[in-house]
Amino acid sequence: GYAGGTPAVGYDLFQGPMVPSAGDTAIMYGEIQIGYKNLSMSSFSKYINTSDPNWSDPNDAVEVYNLMQGLKKDGTPAINTETGEETKFFYADDPSLNTGVGDGIWADSDDHASGDRRFLMNTGPFTMAAGDSQEVVYAILHAADGGPLQSVTKLKQIDEFAQIAYDIQFQLPTPPPIPQVSSTSLLEEIVLTWDN
């Protein structure tokens, strides 16, 4: 059993690699960089521990590179089976809204039975010369709030706050001072008083 309900886990790219971009600002190693930008995710793809030729683990560098581009491992476009449109982001819809095939919400369960999943969070393109460095920051978050879908909703809320905290470099407001509380015991009651 899980305390607080079935948990959900998620990954978030807080800060992608930095590339030149006139008029933008980026962050690298905690420093603001003028004339650069941090790249966001360019694709999110999945594969499954299965014998299915379309969705099994990649076998070589070409298949991995195809997945990194948001394609299927054979290089063909990924298709959102709810809309029929090409996408580079597998299952970008909110699974909490999923009711089944044909509901307009593309969820993993629309295409495959439960099972072992692997995924790639991708960003790019960018070029690195020998000796260059980049900083990429991601987070692994988890939340539990009742059933699995409620936990996903809670996870998304937590992730929003975590991303904001990261974006402002953790310059969060200071908490209010701890109140000085004293108590007095009376017959059938306790009186609490505090000083500001």
Side-chain angles (χ1 to χ4, degrees):
Y2 296 101
T6 305
V9 65
Y11 295 72
D12 188 347
L13 178 67
F14 279 178
Q15 176 190 308
M18 186 175 72
V19 296
S21 181
D24 286 322
T25 58
I27 297 175
M28 186 166 174
Y29 302 121
E31 302 283 329
I32 299 294
Q33 307 291 328
I34 305 296
Y36 293 88
K37 70 176 180 179
N38 294 106
L39 295 175
S40 58
M41 281 179 49
S42 55
S43 65
F44 178 87
S45 53
K46 71 146 189 197
Y47 45 101
I48 307 171
N49 184 17
T50 179
S51 59
D52 183 319
N54 295 311
W55 297 104
S56 59
D57 294 341
N59 296 305
D60 55 42
V62 171
E63 290 181 350
V64 171
Y65 189 64
N66 286 336
L67 288 167
M68 289 172 62
Q69 295 179 82
L71 304 169
K72 292 195 289 188
K73 72 177 193 173
D74 65 2
T76 59
I79 304 297
N80 177 325
T81 57
E82 286 292 316
T83 65
E85 297 172 350
E86 292 183 12
T87 183
K88 291 185 179 286
F89 293 88
F90 284 64
Y91 310 114
D93 293 332
D94 185 345
S96 300
L97 303 176
N98 184 51
T99 58
V101 175
D103 62 2
I105 304 298
W106 190 33
D108 186 54
S109 59
D110 292 339
D111 297 336
H112 302 100
S114 295
D116 185 1
R117 298 291 190 268
R118 294 90 188 277
F119 65 88
L120 290 170
M121 295 170 56
N122 308 297
T123 185
F126 61 97
T127 302
M128 289 182 66
D132 280 355
S133 60
Q134 284 280 3
E135 179 184 49
V136 176
V137 179
Y138 68 95
I140 303 172
L141 305 121
H142 64 91
D145 190 26
L149 295 180
Q150 293 88 346
S151 292
V152 169
T153 300
K154 183 74 165 184
L155 177 68
K156 288 180 175 190
Q157 294 167 349
I158 290 169
D159 179 48
E160 284 182 37
F161 289 122
Q163 182 70 62
I164 290 168
Y166 185 81
D167 289 346
I168 62 172
Q169 297 186 24
F170 302 102
Q171 300 296 315
L172 302 171
T174 57
I178 299 172
Q180 302 299 315
V181 179
S182 59
S183 62
T184 305
S185 298
L186 302 174
L187 183 62
E188 297 186 14
E189 67 180 311
I190 297 175
V191 177
L192 299 176
T193 56
W194 62 87
D195 300 321
N196 291 338

